[in-house]
Amino acid sequence: MRATDLPEVRALGLFSSMEEKHFDALMEVAYLQTFPPQLDLIAEGDVADFLYIVVEGSVELYARSNGRESTMGLVRPVGTFILAAVLKDAVYLMSARTAQRSKILLIPSQNIRQAFQQDAEFARAIVQELASCYRGVVKEHKNLKLRTAVERLANRLLRYHNDQGGNGSLELPHDKRTLASALGMTPENLSRAFNTLKPYGVEVEGSTIRLADVKAMETLAKPNPLIDDRKT
């Protein structure tokens, strides 16, 4: 870990309240690295050797079974993944690969568990992170169970639109295959859903999406803070 990176890491929610000596001990064994797109980071079934924290970029979590593969989630800054496996000293339940060029902090699992035992503020931050992850899973389950494919796509486009400034257009942060899988759809269903959204002012040109009538999209999508608000 370079000394110039320490203030950036120290400011992250997981570490901001730690005792200095415990933070220093973690940083002595940590790595802050930049990875290229589409690089495999972990494989489901392997032992959780490190905690991963996405500082820049994004990471796709995915799983395979019986010849099928599905995107389970997309982790963006600042977010952790496989935290539960680290604390339980268990195997990964999902695989992960970079969705774009990403800066990721890696900390050995045994050191995370040791700090969890020694530092009450760090333990509290870990519990908060786990609670946020759990609530995120519940919201995503509600999204998949309570909305049609078109509604899921409409709400996701509105989220990207708001994240990117709300100026009437947006860039998909990942390819359409990944988007389809994350929304519980096939690529063919995604294409049909985009066509269904055309009368609501959605124009598609590659990865660029233009929303000509945001109000119409909101009327169709019916955003719900109990599903869509990522801050609660």
Side-chain angles (χ1 to χ4, degrees):
M1 176 74 70
R2 297 177 301 182
T4 53
D5 293 324
L6 291 176
E8 180 181 16
V9 174
R10 185 59 153 151
L12 301 179
L14 273 181
F15 310 109
S16 59
S17 299
M18 287 186 76
E19 288 188 35
E20 195 70 32
K21 62 180 181 180
H22 295 144
F23 175 75
D24 290 343
L26 279 185
M27 293 305 101
E28 286 179 3
V29 295
Y31 307 87
L32 184 61
Q33 297 185 1
T34 300
F35 297 96
Q38 299 302 308
L39 180 75
D40 290 325
L41 299 170
I42 62 174
E44 57 184 312
D46 288 351
V47 175
D49 292 329
F50 291 92
L51 174 66
Y52 293 77
I53 302 170
V54 181
V55 179
E56 294 177 7
S58 64
V59 169
E60 177 190 4
L61 303 177
Y62 65 97
R64 293 185 176 126
S65 182
N66 297 327
R68 304 182 188 93
E69 179 180 306
S70 182
T71 300
M72 305 300 292
L74 293 158
V75 185
R76 300 186 65 82
V78 172
T80 65
F81 58 96
I82 54 85
L83 177 55
V86 166
L87 291 180
K88 288 178 64 65
D89 194 14
V91 300
Y92 303 123
L93 296 181
M94 297 178 286
S95 299
R97 59 189 165 220
T98 52
Q100 58 191 100
R101 187 173 184 271
S102 302
K103 182 187 288 187
I104 299 175
L105 179 66
L106 298 84
I107 306 175
S109 297
Q110 62 184 12
N111 298 90
I112 290 290
R113 290 191 291 271
Q114 183 178 14
F116 183 82
Q117 293 290 335
Q118 295 174 340
D119 194 302
E121 290 301 321
F122 181 60
R124 187 174 291 108
I126 288 283
V127 171
Q128 290 286 343
E129 177 70 13
L130 287 171
S132 295
C133 291
Y134 172 75
R135 289 175 66 81
V137 169
V138 172
K139 290 175 183 179
E140 188 57 36
H141 200 55
K142 291 171 68 176
N143 184 51
L144 291 171
K145 289 284 190 177
L146 299 175
R147 286 171 169 163
T148 66
V150 172
E151 289 169 342
R152 294 198 297 274
L153 176 59
N155 277 284
R156 187 59 60 94
L157 293 179
L158 287 173
R159 175 194 294 184
Y160 294 155
H161 179 250
N162 292 333
D163 288 348
Q164 296 177 29
N167 61 0
S169 66
L170 61 98
E171 289 289 328
L172 295 177
H174 33 258
D175 61 73
K176 291 176 182 175
R177 179 203 63 81
T178 302
L179 175 62
S181 188
L183 294 175
M185 303 159 64
T186 65
E188 294 76 18
N189 286 339
L190 179 68
S191 180
R192 285 193 286 269
F194 269 119
N195 286 331
T196 300
L197 291 178
K198 284 182 179 179
Y200 296 89
V202 176
E203 302 170 8
V204 182
E205 186 175 343
S207 62
T208 302
I209 312 296
R210 183 170 180 269
L211 304 185
D213 192 342
V214 175
K215 289 294 183 184
M217 278 281 285
E218 290 175 341
T219 299
L220 170 68
K222 299 179 179 62
N224 180 346
L226 297 181
I227 297 176
D228 304 301
D229 188 349
R230 289 166 291 166
K231 297 178 181 179
T232 62

